Each structure stands twice: as structure tokens, then as C-alpha cells.
Amino acid sequence: MAAKFRFQHPEHALESLVEKLAPVVQKERTSESTGRVLASPVTADRDSPAADVSAMDGYAIRMSELQTDQPVSIEGESSPGAPPPTFQPGKAVRIFTGAIVPFGAEAVIKREDTIESGSEIQFLDAALKNQLGQHIRRAGENALAGSDVVEAGTLLNAAHQATLANFGCSAADVYHRVRVAVLTTGDEVGIPEGESPQPWQLRNSNRASIAALLNTFPWIRVCKVSHAVDQREILKNEIQQCLTSSDALLLTGGVSMGDYDYVPEVIREVGGEILFHGLPIRPGKPILGAATADGKLILGLPGNPVSATVGCRRMALPLLAKISGQQVWNRPRSVVRLSNPSDKTIPLHWMKLVRLTEPGIAEVVSSQGSGDLVALGRSDGFVELPPDQTGEGPWPYFSWSD
């Protein structure tokens, strides 16, 4: 692989850049917290379970009842959602899964390990093997009152909401959404929206794809979308305005080596520290990663639409997750196998557009290059092949939708 790159792997570039970024610190309290990042831990307001409960349908007994071969009378019933009956020595209490174990009972015998006869039960041999505490879930075995049950930095999902509801947390402290500014550049995409382009002009697909990717996530707020033509002072002014109102700035275009590619020098002028400019990846090799002195992200994506969209998914989203306060900001990826692998290899990390055909299987979408918006629209995401590698995989898979 070419030695001119500071980082030989996209992951190393991410790890270097996140050290310069400042996570959001402002919090808000909301009852609509799914998809948001928890800012304060949720603690148990009581033991879980709140009392000793049965793990089976059966009979609550003292261990001494197992020492007799005589029938045992059934006295009372304990059911979920009701207080337990008083436990009488020498008797058994019929009990259901989740019901509170009566005080004094020492084990629960499964119903199928008994012979039931009216108001009496007889224990089968299997019941005699039960130990003290058998089939009883003890109070607090899941969590003790006052302990943390969901940690700060957690990206809240439906499973977490069940936990929050169980412990009486109807509203949670979450971090503010990450404010992201999107700035596209280039004279060729500067036509007013709704007008028909000339053959030498392009509609602004980068603005649409980047904003759509970001808007998928409730912990992101796109606070500004703007465009700058290829004039140095206009670009500088737009970058400064974007940084004033955002936590992160994503640019497209202007990061290559052309006469009108002003982005790198302007970023330095506004106080950005460039951590990398160029990575061994295809598409998107000219990508630029920088941070301001106060920890704001500046990510310069190439202007070609496939490069910009792939770069946003592969590089921008993990960096924004770090800024959002998520503990796990660079999540493990799913993997897929390719049904139509190619024998061709390149000395770069190769992002190939793919379409899912069945669970765990994808096919490579035929593409004419990083400007092929038709191929991009036919894809579900992309796979990443390491340098000089080929074959069906499995390869890491990056979806457009998560």
C-alpha cells in the first residue's frame, strides 16, 4: 500500500480524530427518549424482583414436606399481581410463575413433579431432588434498589425503554442532539433548486444524500445546509458561519488538488487542525479530517456523489456518534457474503456498492465509478474489502438505513 498516507486503515484515522473531538455536554429531560443518548444513569427505584417470586407454576413448600411420603394439603394460592397468602407449616401453597413466594416457604416444586388429587398433592421422585431455594427468584437478584440499570452514554432503544418503564423512569436525561452543518461546494452544482440544469451543470445530489443519512438518527440535528461556489472568500465565510452554529461540519467537494480546491487551506485559516488528508480507500481517497481547537469536527468529503455518500456513512457517522456522547461510538458491523465476487484486487480499502438478496448474502451492484448515481440508488449499502483481497467474504457491511 502506498506509504504517502499518514494512516493505512480508516479505523486508525477515526481513532486519531476522535481524540480531538469534544462530546456534547448539554442535557435535556424528555419522555420521548428512544434513539437519544442517555446523559445520566437510570437507577433502580426498588429491588428487581421487588420480592421473592416463583420461577415456575407449582407449589410453595418447606423442605421438611419432602421428607414425608404422605399427601400434603393445599392451603391457599399465590398469583401474580396479588399479595401472597399466609403460609401454614405442613401445608403447600399453589403458586404461579411470577407470583410472590409466601413468607416461610423454602422452595417451589414444579406442578409436573406432583400428583394432584383435589386439595392434596403427592410428590413424585423428581420432586425429592429439589434443593433449598429451588425455582425461587430472589428479591434484588436482577438489580438492587439504587444501582445503575442503564448507563450514561447508552443509545436508547426499545429494550432500554422496557427497563426504564420497569423502574418508574417516565422521562430521561439525554444529551442534546449533535448539531451538524452540511456545506456543499462547487460551481457545477450551484444552480437554484427547481431549475433545469445545463449540460455542464449538476443537481445537488450530495446535499440530498448527506442530509438524508444524518436525518435517519434522532441524536443528530441538521442545523444548517448551505452551498458555496468556488470562490475562496465565499467558502471561508460559509465555513466560519457553519462552525459558529454547529458541533460538526461536513463538506463535500474542494478537497482534491485542483486549482479551485480551496478547502484544506481555508480550514487551516479558520483554525482547523488537519489530522489526515487522504486515506487509502476507494472511493473517497482525498477525504480530509480536521478538528478545531474547541473540539468541533470538520470532515471534508470528495465531491463525487458515491464518494461523498460512502464517506459520510463510513467516516462521519462514527465520529458524530462519539460527539453525541455514545459509549460505543464505533459499533461492530454485520457481515455479508458476496454472491458475485470479482477476481480483481486493488491496493486500497475498496468500498463496493451492494444490494442484499437474502439474509447474509449480497450482490455487487454494477457501477461506472464514483459519479454513478444510478448504481448508488440501486444499492442497499456497501461492503469494505481490505487491500489486495477478493472473494465472497464475509466482508463488513455498511447499510444506508442504520
Side-chain angles (χ1 to χ4, degrees), residues 28-372:
E28 62 179 292
R29 193 160 182 81
T30 178
S31 59
E32 299 179 356
S33 57
T34 303
R36 301 293 296 277
V37 181
L38 191 64
S40 303
V42 174
T43 58
D45 65 338
R46 62 176 185 167
D47 290 346
S48 176
D52 291 354
V53 297
S54 178
M56 294 285 177
D57 291 345
Y59 296 92
I61 63 162
R62 290 183 190 270
M63 297 303 293
S64 58
E65 315 313 333
L66 294 178
Q67 308 305 315
T68 177
D69 57 2
Q70 297 300 311
V72 176
S73 297
I74 303 169
E75 293 285 343
E77 180 178 284
S78 185
S79 58
T86 301
F87 183 75
Q88 301 292 332
K91 308 293 184 180
V93 170
R94 181 178 287 111
I95 195 167
F96 298 92
T97 302
I100 293 180
V101 176
F103 179 77
E106 297 174 328
V108 171
I109 305 302
K110 292 190 294 184
R111 186 177 184 181
E112 54 264 38
D113 291 343
T114 67
I115 298 175
E116 300 171 317
S117 178
S119 61
E120 295 181 333
I121 55 171
Q122 185 87 33
F123 298 119
L124 297 174
D125 289 343
L128 305 181
K129 300 176 182 178
N130 281 265
Q131 303 295 315
L132 183 69
Q134 192 86 29
H135 305 310
I136 295 177
R137 295 185 56 224
R138 295 300 183 185
E141 72 175 38
N142 295 334
L144 296 173
S147 64
D148 292 349
V149 291
V150 186
E151 297 180 351
T154 299
L155 182 63
L156 296 173
N157 58 29
H160 300 123
Q161 294 299 341
T163 303
L164 268 61
N166 182 67
F167 293 103
C169 182
S170 58
D173 292 329
V174 296
Y175 287 116
H176 275 196
R177 293 178 170 94
V178 180
R179 300 169 302 161
V180 182
V182 178
L183 175 60
T184 58
T185 71
D187 292 342
E188 70 278 17
V189 291
I191 63 170
E193 190 170 352
E195 289 191 10
S196 298
Q198 297 296 325
W200 56 87
Q201 294 177 313
L202 299 171
R203 294 186 174 95
N204 198 333
S205 62
N206 286 341
R207 177 170 56 200
S209 64
I210 301 303
L213 267 176
L214 300 180
N215 285 328
T216 302
F217 302 95
W219 46 271
I220 292 175
R221 179 169 71 87
V222 178
C223 63
K224 182 178 175 64
V225 179
S226 58
H227 181 79
V229 296
D230 291 325
Q231 294 183 31
R232 197 173 181 284
E233 289 306 312
I234 291 177
L235 176 63
K236 183 177 179 180
N237 181 61
E238 284 289 344
I239 288 177
Q240 289 175 321
Q241 288 189 32
C242 288
L243 290 174
T244 299
S245 60
S246 69
D247 303 304
L249 169 60
L250 305 186
L251 301 102
T252 66
V255 292
S256 296
M257 301 300 178
D259 291 343
Y260 300 101
D261 292 328
Y262 301 122
V263 168
E265 59 185 270
V266 170
I267 286 176
R268 293 188 180 95
E269 287 182 10
V270 301
E273 178 188 356
I274 296 177
L275 276 295
F276 58 84
H277 186 190
L279 290 175
I281 59 176
R282 178 187 288 180
K285 189 161 58 174
I287 189 170
L288 180 151
T292 64
D294 55 353
K296 295 184 178 183
L297 169 67
I298 305 174
L299 191 68
L301 303 167
N304 285 329
V306 177
S307 300
T309 310
V310 167
C312 181
R313 176 64 183 88
R314 179 65 177 89
M315 303 296 289
L317 289 181
L319 294 168
L320 296 174
K322 176 65 175 180
I323 296 172
S324 76
Q326 294 178 48
Q327 284 185 335
V328 183
W329 57 271
N330 198 8
R331 296 181 177 276
R333 291 115 196 168
S334 59
V335 295
V336 298
R337 293 185 178 275
L338 300 179
S339 60
N340 58 341
S342 167
D343 293 332
K344 182 180 178 180
T345 65
I346 59 174
L348 303 169
H349 296 267
W350 197 354
M351 321 295 181
K352 290 189 172 187
L353 299 176
V354 297
R355 176 174 49 230
L356 297 178
T357 55
E358 58 183 285
I361 304 295
E363 63 179 11
V364 178
V365 175
S366 177
S367 174
Q368 302 304 313
S370 57
D372 191 344

